[in-house]
Amino acid sequence: MESVKKSLLERTSVRRYEREAIPEETMEFIFDAIRNTPTSYNGQQFSVIDIDNQKLKEELYELTNQKQLKTCNRLLIFCSDYNKITRLAERKGFDVPPFTNTMDGVIIGIVDASLAMMSAVVAAQAAGLGSNCVGYLRTVDPAKVAEMLHLPKGVFVVCGLALGVPREHPDLKPKQQKETVFFKNRYCSDEEKMVDELEKYDTVVKEYNATRAGGTSTNDWCDHILDYYRHAMNYRILDYLKAQGYDISK
């Protein structure tokens, strides 16, 4: 088992995996880590779909063109989930307030599922596995993915996590310096200096992308991320959330 320090500070995104199966005791360790995730009010507003069916993984690959979905040994899909509490409340005769119609309700479910996924990432890394977070499962065709996974009202995909024995060991990506991540007692007091540091980071990322192992590119950080924003403007997530029972009004 890897140390916590190594698991957190040397983690990379792995997209190529060996055919070797993940031992069930390792999966149980990951599941236990997920279950012990801190959540808002201990509400545990999330669920995880564990996919080991190769046909289903390949169908999701066909939809997304994300190769790691079909080559991973296990695919965990983390969902925001208010269906469980709703079903129990109905059985007990309790009225269910329309919390899913509020932004806070949406945010809590996303935060809970995201925290659970990070628990899985750290546990998998500690166990010597490779992992890759696949956000595209949330946006590629939300209604189709919901249909494929039989998601009821009150449940939507937040992110997928591919797991497997790594076949590659990617270079560690450069991250922002502490000066642009951590601020003392208030938000940044010198935004010009912050932008100067971000510009330096932008150059570091461009140099990394030009020389990294496993395929190079000319991408910087700023325009590359903005390009994702431009593309994501076409997503219809609000319509999808409404179809899943989240009629956000406040």
Side-chain angles (χ1 to χ4, degrees), residues 80 82 100-103 105-107 110 138 142-143 146 152-158 236-248:
S80 171
Y82 285 95
T100 54
N101 293 349
T102 70
M103 275 305 301
V106 174
I107 289 170
I110 292 172
R138 179 186 70 254
K153 299 286 187 182
V155 180
F156 67 87
V157 170
V158 173
R236 307 285 297 181
I237 301 301
L238 185 59
D239 291 344
Y240 164 62
L241 289 178
K242 288 181 178 179
Q244 287 301 110
Y246 291 73
D247 192 9
I248 303 164

Side-chain angles (χ1 to χ4, degrees), residues 179-242:
E179 291 79 5
T180 59
V181 176
F182 304 102
F183 305 124
K184 197 73 168 181
N185 296 322
R186 53 154 291 173
Y187 190 77
C188 179
S189 60
D190 188 345
E191 292 204 4
E192 286 300 315
K193 183 177 180 181
M194 179 185 73
V195 176
D196 288 343
E197 293 298 324
L198 288 171
E199 193 168 22
K200 293 176 187 177
Y201 174 67
D202 197 58
T203 300
V204 169
V205 171
K206 189 167 186 177
E207 291 172 351
Y208 163 82
N209 286 329
T211 59
R212 68 182 182 181
T216 61
S217 76
T218 60
N219 291 336
D220 62 3
W221 177 69
C222 185
D223 193 50
H224 181 61
I225 300 304
L226 292 179
D227 191 54
Y228 168 74
Y229 295 168
R230 297 178 192 110
H231 179 74
M233 294 297 292
N234 296 317
Y235 296 153
R236 307 285 297 181
I237 301 301
L238 185 59
D239 291 344
Y240 164 62
L241 289 178
K242 288 181 178 179

